[in-house]
């Protein structure tokens, strides 16, 4: 017997761990790979943004007679030099773009992790539903045998047996619904992990409720420090400020410098080498009508970025408070159902004994069994909802607050 149990334990697949799935999603999710590539692209654009333009090399035949009695050849090298801090402003704009891309990657990662957790706990709920249906089937098997015995001895009515058989059929229908939910949950999870949705997954682990949770004020303060979206908004403000500086700097002309040398071949006068040097600037005669609207536009964009940052702070505080309230409500539901289920189980056992003794009718047994299933299903749903709310709160905070620990090591009394 021990050898059989050992072989079954070895053959059973290891349960899915949320921590492993989150790590796999970070490594394999295509959306995260795309966001990481955008970060690399934005970071690679920082150095070129502030670099000087390439110098211009010009070679020309300069003022040569048509008979080519002399051949003056000029070689000129010129370089444009932006003034007024334009290069620094362009570099800051590129840095802000890279910071926003990095914040977008972190936000996308949090979103994917929340979706993985949601699908994982839906998978747990489907698995737990099947376990509850198995328990109910065991109860109905006992009731069905008792009904058959009562009918065969003339102590019961045929309707009792028919209702017991009908309850078994209804249970099978509910089992099919749970199987469908399991397949649906795995399909969503497989897409996030870049796995084959047709593969059969291992069961999910039973989660638990966290023993301690920081207060909502501490979580809100942490969210305002670490939330990726807020980091992105701060980068957007920095980029808008740099854009305003760039538009103001555009009022200052750029400086173009050049140096040239000319050599005259077949020159009978003896002097064949000449040197030229100089600079040029554009005259901002017509720039007033162009620069001032651009500066005003940049200022408006800066105000928009600052207000968007303010709105994001308000939204983050609201999301943390709302998710925290939902989490506490789910915890209270779980605590109450841990009290209800032992009572409902005792009611089923008492109803089974009384029915076997002929003191109550079949309806009371069936109602007690269904009530037990309802409470067990409610507990499973509230437990899955608690973990999903915890995942949403963790996303709202922008940092780990214990989701992976809560996903393992469920309640010792498996209802």
């Amino acid at each position: 017997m021990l050898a059989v149990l050992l072989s079954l334990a070895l053959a059973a697949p290891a349960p899915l761990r949320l921590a492993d799935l989150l790590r796999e999603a970070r490594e394999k999710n295509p959306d995260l790979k795309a966001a990481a590539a955008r970060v690399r692209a934005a970071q690679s654009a920082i150095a070129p943004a502030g670099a000087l333009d390439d110098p211009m090399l010009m070679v020309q035949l300069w003022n040569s007679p048509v008979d080519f009695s002399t051949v003056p050849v000029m070689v000129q090298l010129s370089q444009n030099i932006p003034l007024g801090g334009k290069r620094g402003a362009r570099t800051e704009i590129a840095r802000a773009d890279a910071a926003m891309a990095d914040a977008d990657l972190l936000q996308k990662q949090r979103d994917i992790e929340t979706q993985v957790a949601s699908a994982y706990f839906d998978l747990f709920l489907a698995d737990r539903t099947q376990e509850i249906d198995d328990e109910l089937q065991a109860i109905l098997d006992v009731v069905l045998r008792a009904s058959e015995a009562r009918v065969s001895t003339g102590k019961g009515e045929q309707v009792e047996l028919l209702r017991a058989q009908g309850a078994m059929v209804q249970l099978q229908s509910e089992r099919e619904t749970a199987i469908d939910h399991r397949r649906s949950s795995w399909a969503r999870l497989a897409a996030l992990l870049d796995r084959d949705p047709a593969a059969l997954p291992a069961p999910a682990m039973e989660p638990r409720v966290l023993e301690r949770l920081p207060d909502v004020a501490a979580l809100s303060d942490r969210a305002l420090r670490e939330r990726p979206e807020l980091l992105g908004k701060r980068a957007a403000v920095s980029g808008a400020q740099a854009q305003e500086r760039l538009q103001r700097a555009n009022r200052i002309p750029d400086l173009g410098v050049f140096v040239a040398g000319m050599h005259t071949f077949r020159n009978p006068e003896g002097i064949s080498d000449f040197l030229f040097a100089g600079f040029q600037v554009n005259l901002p005669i017509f720039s007033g009508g162009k620069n001032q609207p651009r500066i005003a536009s940049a200022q408006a964009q800066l105000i928009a970025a600052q207000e968007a940052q303010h709105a994001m702070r308000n939204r983050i505080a609201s999301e943390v408070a709302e998710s925290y309230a939902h989490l506490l409500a789910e915890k209270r539901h779980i605590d109450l159902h841990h009290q209800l289920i032992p009572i409902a189980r005792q009611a089923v056992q008492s109803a089974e004994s009384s029915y076997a003794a002929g003191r109550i009718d079949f309806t009371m047994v069936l109602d007690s069994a269904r009530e037990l299933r309802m409470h067990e299903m409610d507990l499973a749903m509230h437990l899955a909802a608690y973990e999903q709310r915890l995942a949403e709160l963790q996303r709202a905070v922008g940092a780990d607050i214990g989701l992976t620990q809560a996903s393992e090591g469920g309640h010792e009394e498996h209802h």
Side-chain angles (χ1 to χ4, degrees), residues 211-227:
E211 296 180 0
R212 296 184 60 185
L213 192 67
D215 61 78
V216 66
L219 292 175
S220 182
D221 291 342
R222 188 174 182 181
L224 294 176
R225 293 193 308 269
E226 303 184 22
R227 182 76 174 259

Side-chain angles (χ1 to χ4, degrees), residues 83 86 247-255 280-292 294:
L83 302 179
K86 297 185 186 72
Q247 296 305 327
R248 292 184 181 278
N250 283 333
R251 298 179 298 182
I252 301 174
D254 292 340
L255 176 65
Q280 63 180 10
V281 294
N282 61 296
L283 300 178
I285 299 175
F286 306 110
S287 62
K290 297 182 294 183
N291 288 335
Q292 195 56 41
R294 291 171 180 168

